[in-house]
Amino acid sequence: MSGLEPGRVERVELRRIALPLVSPFRTSFGVERERDILLVRVDWRSTDGSSTEGWGECVALTEPTYSPEYVDGAQHVITEHLLGRLLTGDDLHASDVATRLATLHGHPMAKGALEMALLDAQLRAAGVSFGDHIGATATTIPSGVSVGIHDDVDDLLATVQRYVDDGYVRIKLKIEPGADIEHVAAVRELIGPDMPLQVDANTAYTRTDGRHLARLDEFDMLLIEQPLPEHDIIGHARLADEVETPICLDESLVSASGTADAIELGACEIANIKPGRVGGYLEAVRIHDLCVDRGVPVWCGGMLETGIGRAANAMLAALPGFTLPGDISASTRFYERDIVVDPITITDGHVTVPRSPGFGFEIDHAFLDSVTTSTATITRD
Ligand code: NPQ
Ligand code: MG
């Protein structure tokens, strides 16, 4: 990434916060009532002498249920293994973070949070927004909502109706065996034939479920997200032949090269891009570019981010290849109050893309302090 002044990280603060969810969020891997989030703050000194701070958000969950990473592990690997490699030298670029950390395997969410904090600081020093930096063009983006699994179909319909009333332009239903065909049928009946609808299984099915999942074809859905376990690329390719509804990968996609392979194998007809899962916003842009090149539609996923990650996702999703509505809903979909001053809202079903420098948010320090559960500081020696 050119045009940005290099610099050095002077100090890093690792903050953990606890944010209660407005309602429990159930997926095929469990129920969550509160989000325990790791934030990274860096003090950055540019080679031109200016000082800025940058913030990154780690999307790892409390337990390794969505992916192998989990928030305590992410904090440990950052403290004990990753940070030391970023606290040397005076002419670092955020775009060097991935290469500096490349000999350490895995941990994309931990690495992505560090890269994000440096990128935010470096962009703020230059007075440039991430969206402008990557050539994002949209000023507003359509907003979709992810709806958790409900045992009771009437409860599900009441929840979906609220989101339709809020203006969301696309509904995504979490599904699992036993809570799928009937739920989708009822929701399609409620919202009518024209409202975009999709489902997300979070790996809950097996290779032998092709005929069952093909029953979803009659409901005219945009896509089926991650029906099979993350490593089963061939299984997804076979499903793509058996099921008419496009197969979209989420958990399986952890790098640009792996995404290219999944596309080539016919396993990925649509891609869910989540910056944290792929090691950061810069790898996310590379995945966007390769999907555009191969004619694969992409959309931006979500990990129940605070206003930090939510603003950043909105900037990313303003790239032209993001042709499907993302899971970038209003902050109030998940949280009563956000840790940023101007939380993401929706108007006429759309989110306004932030334009200010860095990732375009401003921290509400008093509220952030009130939800902080621990703070650790690492200073460069
Ligand atoms: C997905 N996100 O697309 C994820 C999974 C996910 C918005 O559907 C707490 C509990 C936090 C469950 C973060 C959405 C979570 C969670 C992300 C699920 O697969
Ligand atoms: Mg998903």
Side-chain angles (χ1 to χ4, degrees):
M1 292 274 153
S2 56
L4 299 177
E5 193 72 23
R8 54 188 261 160
V9 178
E10 300 284 3
R11 183 176 165 276
V12 178
E13 184 180 283
L14 300 177
R15 236 182 222 262
R16 290 280 282 277
I17 64 169
L19 279 182
L21 299 176
V22 292
S23 55
F25 188 53
R26 178 167 153 209
T27 65
S28 60
F29 57 74
V31 191
E32 297 279 348
R33 292 183 168 73
E34 187 182 81
R35 194 77 171 80
D36 170 14
I37 300 174
L38 170 64
L39 302 177
V40 179
R41 191 194 113 153
V42 299
D43 287 343
W44 176 261
R45 174 173 281 273
S46 191
T47 48
D48 65 14
S50 66
S51 292
T52 46
E53 66 175 44
W55 290 81
E57 175 168 350
C58 180
V59 299
L61 305 186
T62 306
E63 293 195 289
T65 45
Y66 166 83
S67 77
E69 289 181 273
Y70 59 102
V71 65
D72 281 333
Q75 180 155 0
H76 185 273
V77 79
I78 286 172
T79 307
E80 300 298 326
H81 304 284
L82 305 181
L83 268 183
R85 287 166 163 85
L86 301 180
L87 296 177
T88 62
D90 288 320
D91 57 352
L92 187 63
H93 284 274
S95 55
D96 300 330
V97 171
T99 27
R100 284 225 188 172
L101 302 180
T103 52
L104 303 174
H105 292 221
H107 303 284
M109 292 174 175
K111 292 173 177 175
L114 291 173
E115 183 194 80
M116 183 184 185
L118 267 66
L119 192 51
D120 186 46
Q122 203 182 9
L123 288 165
R124 283 175 196 259
V128 174
S129 76
F130 176 65
D132 285 345
H133 184 61
I134 60 175
T137 49
T139 55
T140 68
I141 50 170
S143 180
V145 64
S146 176
V147 183
I149 296 171
H150 290 55
D151 280 328
D152 184 84
V153 176
D154 289 328
D155 289 345
L156 171 65
L157 294 180
T159 300
V160 170
Q161 186 62 55
R162 271 199 290 117
Y163 294 137
V164 171
D165 294 343
D166 287 342
Y168 289 104
V169 300
R170 183 226 67 190
I171 302 292
K172 159 168 142 180
L173 300 181
K174 293 291 194 178
I175 59 167
E176 65 184 3
D180 47 22
I181 315 291
E182 195 197 338
H183 291 228
V184 171
V187 169
R188 177 50 92 199
E189 171 87 17
L190 175 79
I191 64 180
D194 296 332
M195 174 118 183
L197 177 64
Q198 63 192 55
V199 291
D200 185 0
N202 288 112
T203 76
Y205 293 87
T206 68
R207 282 189 180 194
T208 57
D209 287 323
R211 299 242 316 259
H212 176 74
L213 289 170
R215 292 177 60 201
L216 292 169
D217 285 339
E218 68 172 288
F219 303 110
D220 190 23
M221 292 196 302
L222 287 173
L223 57 92
I224 301 176
E225 184 179 345
Q226 198 69 43
L228 304 180
E230 61 202 287
H231 299 295
D232 194 3
I233 303 302
I234 296 295
H236 283 103
R238 289 182 188 159
L239 263 191
D241 285 335
E242 274 185 278
V243 179
E244 261 179 56
T245 308
I247 300 296
C248 169
L249 296 182
D250 173 359
E251 285 89 332
S252 293
L253 306 180
V254 295
S255 67
S257 67
T259 302
D261 291 353
I263 292 169
E264 190 172 325
L265 286 165
C268 182
E269 299 173 287
I270 296 177
N272 169 335
I273 299 182
K274 283 182 187 167
R277 193 194 63 226
V278 304
Y281 282 83
L282 300 179
E283 186 78 349
V285 172
R286 289 188 280 270
I287 295 178
H288 160 274
D289 294 349
L290 80 86
C291 286
V292 168
D293 187 56
R294 288 158 176 76
V296 171
V298 309
W299 55 283
C300 184
M303 292 296 288
L304 281 55
E305 290 89 347
T306 70
I308 295 177
R310 210 166 280 277
N313 287 348
M315 285 186 175
L316 176 72
L319 281 172
F322 284 82
T323 52
L324 292 168
D327 280 345
I328 307 168
S329 37
S331 171
T332 53
R333 153 70 185 90
F334 294 109
Y335 305 113
E336 197 165 321
R337 185 164 170 191
D338 205 328
I339 58 166
V340 297
V341 173
D342 261 325
I344 296 286
T345 56
I346 73 164
T347 308
D348 294 331
H350 287 65
V351 163
T352 300
V353 179
R355 318 201 47 158
S356 43
F359 286 105
F361 55 83
E362 198 195 317
I363 302 288
D364 176 345
H365 287 281
F367 184 64
L368 174 63
D369 285 347
S370 76
V371 295
T372 297
T373 53
S374 73
T375 306
T377 303
I378 300 99
T379 308
R380 179 172 169 146
D381 38 44

